[in-house]
Amino acid sequence: MKTSRAKGGKASAEEHEANAFRPTRDQVLTFVAENPDRASKRDIAKAFNLRGDDRIWLKDLLRELQDEGLLEKRAKRLHKPGALPHVTVLDIYGRDPDGGLLARPAEARVEVDSDVVVAIRASKLGKGPTAGIGDRVLARVFPGEDADGPDYTARVMKLIDKRRDTVLGVIRRLADGTLRTEAVDRRQPEMLVDAEFLGDGKVGDLVELEPLRPTRYGLPRGKVVAVIGSLTSEKAVSMIAIHAHEIPHVFPRDVLGEAEAAQPAAMDGREDWRKVPLVTIDPADAKDHDDAVFAEPDSDEANPGGVIVTVAIADVAAYVRPGSALDREAVKRGNSVYFPDRVVPMLPERISNDLCSLREGEDRPALAVRMTFASDGRKLRHSFHRIMMRSVAKLAYPQAQAAVDGAPDDKTAPLLDGVLKPLWDAYAVLSRGRDQRAPLELDLPERKILLKPDGTVDRVTVPERLAAHRLIEEFMIQANVAAAETLEAKKQALVYRIHDAPSLAKQESLREFLQTVGLSLARGAQLRPSQFNAILQRARGEENETLINEVVLRSQSQAEYSPGNIGHFGLNLRRYAHFTSPIRRYADLIVHRALIAALGLGRDGLTPGEEARLEDTAALISAAERRAMAAERDTVDRLIAEHLAARKGETFEARIGGVTKAGLFVRLPQFGADGFVPVSTLGNDYYIYDEAAHSLVGERQGKGFRLGDPVEVKLVEIAPLAGAIRFEMLSEPRPLPTATRSFHKAKGQTRRLQSKAPRRGHSGRARSK
C-alpha cells in the first residue's frame, strides 16, 4: 500500500490536500493533534484527498485507533484522549520566564490532567481582549509545538472575569491571642493575620485575604481585603462555595433596574389559550413555575387511542432581550444554582418569581408545543405556538399523585376527571414509546438535605420517586425533542444538549470490571443504552446491584451544550435541546429565541450576532453548569461534615464509594457523607490498586476492598469548613473474586518497578502500617 511521505514540522491541512495517497497512522494522529478544530472524519478525508474506497479504509483506521485508545471522539471531532476542548475556559495564574501568560483549565475534568499548562499567545493582528494574571478567559486552544514547552497554547477570545489572587478563610483566635484563618479548602494552608491587617474582620467572620510577602519561617501571613459575613449567620455555608467558585450572586444595579421596569407582556398577536386548563406540578417548596401541562384524547378517528399533550413554558424571551443588561448577566451566570439553604437565580426575582412564573389564576405569556401521539407512544406531529395562558392550579407532586391514587383534596377533586386523569392516561401512552426507546435506566436514589431554621442539618431523606415526577419528566423530554426537530427542519442554528457514548477506554475498563462479577459487555457493534440496561437488570436484587449501578454511571460521558449535534446517548435520542426551563438555564432561552426567529413568532428572536457566538456561548454555559455542580457538592459536604462534627470517635455503617491508589472513599448512606480512608491505615499488607476491578488488593493475603463493599468505619478526623472527613477502617479485608488479567498485569508491573524504586515510592503499591 502506498502511503504519503511524512513531513517534518506542523502538518497543515493545505500540505495534505495535494497528496492523494493513504496516510500512515502517525500522520493521521499528527493531523488530529495539530488541527483540533478540523478533525472530523470528513475533515481528515478532505485533508488527505481521500475518496471512494479510501474513505472506507479511513473509517476502519479511525475505528482501530479509537479501539487502541489513541483517539477518542467528542462532538463529531476526533481528539487525543484527555485533550482539552478546542474552545475552553482558562484561569491565568502566572508568567513564564519570558513574561508570557500561563493558564490552567478553569473546570477540571476527570480525563484532563489538573496540572496541564496553557501558554497565552497574543493575537496576530494585535486585536482582542487584553488579559492578565488572575483573569478568567474564554480561549481557543491549540496543542503545544515544543516538547519542552507548555502542553497547549491559546488565543484569548473573551475576557470573562477579573480575579484577585485571594483566598478564603474564617478568623479564629488562638489561646495565646494570635489570630489565624481556618482554611475552607483542604488544599489551602492556614494564615496568620496581624491586628494591623484585620480591617473590619472579627473572630468568626468569613473573610477574603490577600497573601502578604512570604516569610522564611512559620505560617504565611495575610491581609483581610473583604468581610463576606459571619459564619454564625444563616446561609453562611453556601456563601463559602459561592465565593470559592466565584459564582455571581449579586445583581448589578442596571440589571435590577431593567427587571423592575419590565411590564407584563400584552397579547400582541399571541394566541389566546387562557381557557385551556393547564396546570403546574412542581415540588411543594418551588417558588417559580416555568412549565404547565395539559392532555386530552385525540378525537381524530384516524388515531384511535392517541393523545394530544400540551406543554407550555414561560416566555422569558419576551422580557430578556438580546444584548440587554439582563441578558448579559444571565449568560454570565449560565444557570441558577441550587443549594440546600438558598438559590442563586439566573434572573432577578421580578422576572423569575413574578412576571415569568406561571402563577395560578394569572395571565402569563408562554411558548407552547402541542404534540400528538399514537396509542403506541410514537409522536405523529407537533406544532409551536406563542400564547397567553392562565394556569388553573398550582399543584405539588405528592398532591397530584394522591388525587390520582384515590385521595383527592379540595383543590384536586374538581380537576380529577377533566385534567389529572387525562394527564396520567397520556403518560401511559408516552411510557410505551419510552419503553421502545429504551433510555439508560440507572437506579441511584437522590438524597435531599432538610435544614433547621438556623441553617444546620436536621436530617437527610431520600424522597419517594412518584409517577407524577416521571410524568412531568417525560412530557418535558418530548417537548425538548420537538424543539430540536423543529429547529433542524427550519435549518436554524441552536445549542443542542449532547451526551456522547462512553469512550472506548471507559468501555474497556467497564468490561474488565464486569468480568470480575460474572457479567459481560459485548464488543463490536455500536453501543446502545439497552445493553447497559440488560446488565443493570441482571444485577437487580443482587449483592452487587449498587456497585454495578455506580460503575456503569462512572463509565458514562458528561452531558454538555454544543451547536453541533451528536445526539444524546443516555436518553437514546438523535436530537435533543433544552427548551423547558428558560427561567433557570440560559441554554433554554437560546432555544426559545431560535424558535421565535425560525417560526416568525416575533421580533425578539435569535440575532445573527448570537448565532455567530453560539460555540462560545455553549462553552461558557457548559462551564457554568460544571461550576454550579461543584459548588452544590461542596456545600453539601460542608453541611454534612458540620452535622457530624460532634460524633467524632463513633462508628458507622458505610459503603465504599471510590477506590484510588491513595486509599478508599467511603460513603455513609444515612447521611450522604463522603470521607477518606488512607491506604496506609488499612492493615499490615501491601495493597495494589486494581483499576479495572475498582479495588485495593493485599499482595500477601489476596484480600482487599472493592467499590460498593459494605464496611464499618470509625470517624477519626473532621474539618467542617473544608468538608473533609477521615475515617479509620474497622472491617477486615474481604476475599475478592478471581483476579482479572489487569490485576495480574498490575502485579507484574509492580514487581518490575520494585527493583527501580523504593517500596513505598511507586504509584501502584502502598504499604499499610
Side-chain angles (χ1 to χ4, degrees), residues 631-642:
E632 291 164 6
R633 184 172 58 247
D634 287 354
T635 298
V636 168
D637 288 346
R638 289 188 177 100
L639 284 168
I640 294 297
E642 184 180 43

Side-chain angles (χ1 to χ4, degrees), residues 326-613:
L326 277 167
D327 186 53
R328 291 193 301 271
E329 185 68 14
V331 73
K332 181 179 178 181
R333 296 181 176 221
N335 48 254
S336 297
V337 186
Y338 294 85
F339 298 105
D341 59 354
R342 76 169 78 207
V343 175
V344 178
M346 184 180 80
L347 298 168
E349 286 194 10
R350 168 67 172 159
I351 303 294
S352 60
N353 291 1
D354 184 1
L355 295 176
C356 286
S357 185
L358 306 181
R359 293 178 174 177
E360 178 180 334
E362 297 185 21
D363 291 359
R364 287 292 183 269
L367 196 56
V369 58
R370 180 173 279 162
M371 301 171 285
T372 302
F373 294 87
S375 60
D376 61 1
R378 287 178 297 112
K379 181 161 66 69
L380 302 179
R381 55 190 169 272
H382 67 265
S383 59
F384 281 89
H385 309 261
R386 211 167 188 189
I387 67 168
M388 187 67 73
M389 61 160 285
R390 183 183 297 158
S391 169
V392 298
K394 180 187 79 170
L395 304 178
Y397 286 116
Q399 183 183 20
Q401 188 68 56
V404 174
D405 290 344
D409 57 21
D410 292 343
K411 190 170 189 176
T412 54
L415 303 170
L416 187 57
D417 292 330
V419 177
L420 294 178
K421 285 185 177 178
L423 282 172
W424 260 254
D425 290 342
Y427 171 57
V429 171
L430 267 63
S431 294
R432 295 173 198 139
R434 188 181 193 279
D435 292 342
Q436 285 292 319
R437 193 175 81 240
L440 186 60
E441 299 278 10
L442 288 167
D443 184 16
L444 293 168
E446 293 186 10
R447 289 172 174 79
K448 183 175 182 178
I449 295 180
L450 302 179
L451 302 179
K452 301 174 185 175
D454 64 359
T456 59
V457 176
D458 180 18
R459 63 188 187 277
V460 181
T461 66
V462 179
E464 184 182 1
R465 177 81 166 156
L466 303 172
H469 293 102
R470 293 190 288 270
L471 180 153
I472 295 299
E473 180 182 274
E474 189 59 28
F475 281 21
M476 297 304 116
I477 288 172
Q478 292 300 332
N480 288 336
V481 171
E485 289 177 344
T486 293
L487 293 172
E488 273 199 6
K490 293 290 185 178
K491 301 189 185 308
Q492 169 66 55
L494 73 148
V495 168
Y496 292 92
R497 180 64 167 179
I498 62 171
H499 181 225
D500 210 348
S503 67
L504 292 169
K506 288 185 177 180
Q507 289 180 38
E508 191 58 32
S509 177
L510 178 61
R511 284 190 189 94
E512 291 181 353
F513 162 73
L514 291 173
Q515 289 176 1
T516 70
V517 293
L519 298 173
S520 62
L521 178 66
R523 285 187 175 87
Q526 186 176 2
L527 208 57
R528 298 287 183 189
S530 57
Q531 293 170 266
F532 290 107
N533 290 339
I535 292 168
L536 299 173
Q537 183 61 39
R538 288 183 60 187
R540 191 156 295 163
E542 300 294 326
E543 179 185 3
N544 293 322
E545 180 180 2
T546 301
L547 164 65
I548 292 169
N549 272 269
E550 288 272 6
V551 177
V552 169
L553 174 63
R554 292 170 191 226
S555 72
Q556 303 302 306
S557 302
Q558 185 173 24
E560 59 185 337
Y561 296 106
S562 171
N565 183 33
I566 61 169
H568 196 293
F569 178 81
L571 294 175
N572 201 14
L573 293 167
R574 292 183 178 179
R575 52 192 62 84
Y576 192 64
H578 275 164
F579 159 75
T580 54
S581 296
I583 287 177
R584 62 184 180 89
R585 291 188 306 227
Y586 194 80
D588 302 55
L589 179 55
I590 294 173
V591 169
H592 275 233
R593 289 173 178 165
L595 287 166
I596 292 167
L599 300 175
L601 298 177
R603 291 175 294 178
D604 45 3
L606 199 66
T607 65
E610 286 183 289
E611 286 191 27
R613 295 190 300 270

